[in-house]
Amino acid sequence: QQSSLVTPLYQHLPTWVSAWPLTAPQHRQLLLGFINVLQADKQGQLVLQATTRFVRTFSQDGGAGVLGVDEEAVVKEALQFALTSSLEHFGDRVNLYEALASLPAASKAGGDIAALTNLLKIYVEGSLADLSPFLTAHPALLTTYPSLSRGDMETKLRLLALCAHVSSKNERVLSYSKVGEVAGVTAEDVEELVIEAIASGLMDAHS
């Protein structure tokens, strides 16, 4: 109940930060407090946005800040959400990836955060063809993070391929055969992919 009362205050955070003379560490501490509340309130999308802001603070102090254990846990949680949730608000995933990719060298985390960031990079810049080599190079990742599913990631990358095709070709209507061609699925699997695209708000169905 307490978290539900605090969550609506998050929208005021940018105003507070601009009004208060906060140092980068103080800004991070404030964001961490909100992130913990947002996680308890199951506000995944807001956690993603807040974590992106949190990561960006490391560029504000010239790389003097270093991700500690608690900070790494927050970033891992946001990365998992970015990789597993529906594709709505995809720009938030792009923002998180760009924030992590631009971290000062002294602040960068290795290990699982680096691997999860590179996996998110495939969503943002890559394609389905990049997924199999990545998972081969990181065989323990799916075991360590059971929320990650190879099948789910393949579906998301196929949906992103459809979005990229529609955007680049300016095609507003796709036939089932074209969907299969672009997404690289058989005729038997096209309907399931189309249903997923409609459920994700990426497509409308027309008879």
Side-chain angles (χ1 to χ4, degrees):
Q1 185 177 2
Q2 184 180 5
S3 62
S4 297
L5 294 174
V6 175
T7 292
L9 298 176
Y10 175 71
Q11 64 181 314
H12 301 295
L13 185 60
T15 302
W16 295 340
V17 170
S18 62
W20 299 340
L22 297 178
T23 64
Q26 289 171 334
H27 191 180
R28 279 196 287 275
Q29 196 61 39
L30 180 61
L31 282 165
L32 278 177
F34 267 104
I35 289 169
N36 289 332
V37 171
L38 294 170
Q39 286 176 337
D41 215 17
K42 302 186 185 306
Q43 297 292 324
Q45 201 68 40
L46 291 179
V47 169
L48 188 59
Q49 295 169 6
T51 303
T52 300
R53 286 178 174 171
F54 170 79
V55 171
R56 285 173 176 161
T57 65
F58 286 89
S59 299
Q60 295 173 6
D61 58 2
V66 178
L67 287 171
V69 175
D70 292 341
E71 289 84 355
E72 286 193 3
V74 164
V75 174
K76 287 177 186 177
E77 187 76 21
L79 280 164
Q80 289 177 80
F81 179 84
L83 291 163
T84 59
S85 59
S86 68
L87 292 175
E88 295 177 286
H89 310 294
F90 187 72
D92 288 338
R93 291 160 173 77
V94 176
N95 291 337
L96 177 63
Y97 167 70
E98 290 179 345
L100 287 166
S102 62
L103 270 175
S107 303
K108 283 187 182 295
D112 288 354
I113 288 183
L116 292 169
T117 301
N118 286 330
L119 182 54
L120 184 58
K121 181 181 181 180
I122 295 176
Y123 280 36
V124 175
E125 300 179 355
S127 67
L128 180 59
D130 301 313
L131 182 62
S132 185
F134 174 86
L135 293 178
T136 299
H138 301 84
L141 203 62
L142 299 186
T143 303
T144 304
Y145 301 96
S147 63
L148 299 179
S149 159
R150 180 171 186 149
D152 178 67
M153 288 188 285
E154 289 175 346
T155 297
K156 283 182 169 61
L157 287 166
R158 288 190 170 103
L159 291 172
L160 290 170
L162 285 176
C163 292
H165 176 83
V166 169
S167 177
S168 64
K169 303 297 183 181
N170 199 28
E171 292 186 42
R172 297 305 176 190
V173 179
L174 296 180
S175 65
Y176 265 43
S177 60
K178 190 64 176 180
V179 169
E181 176 189 336
V182 172
V185 296
T186 63
E188 293 78 12
D189 294 327
V190 167
E191 183 172 1
E192 183 177 345
L193 189 68
V194 169
I195 291 172
E196 182 68 29
I198 293 170
S200 300
L202 303 176
M203 277 185 155
D204 292 320
H206 296 282
S207 57

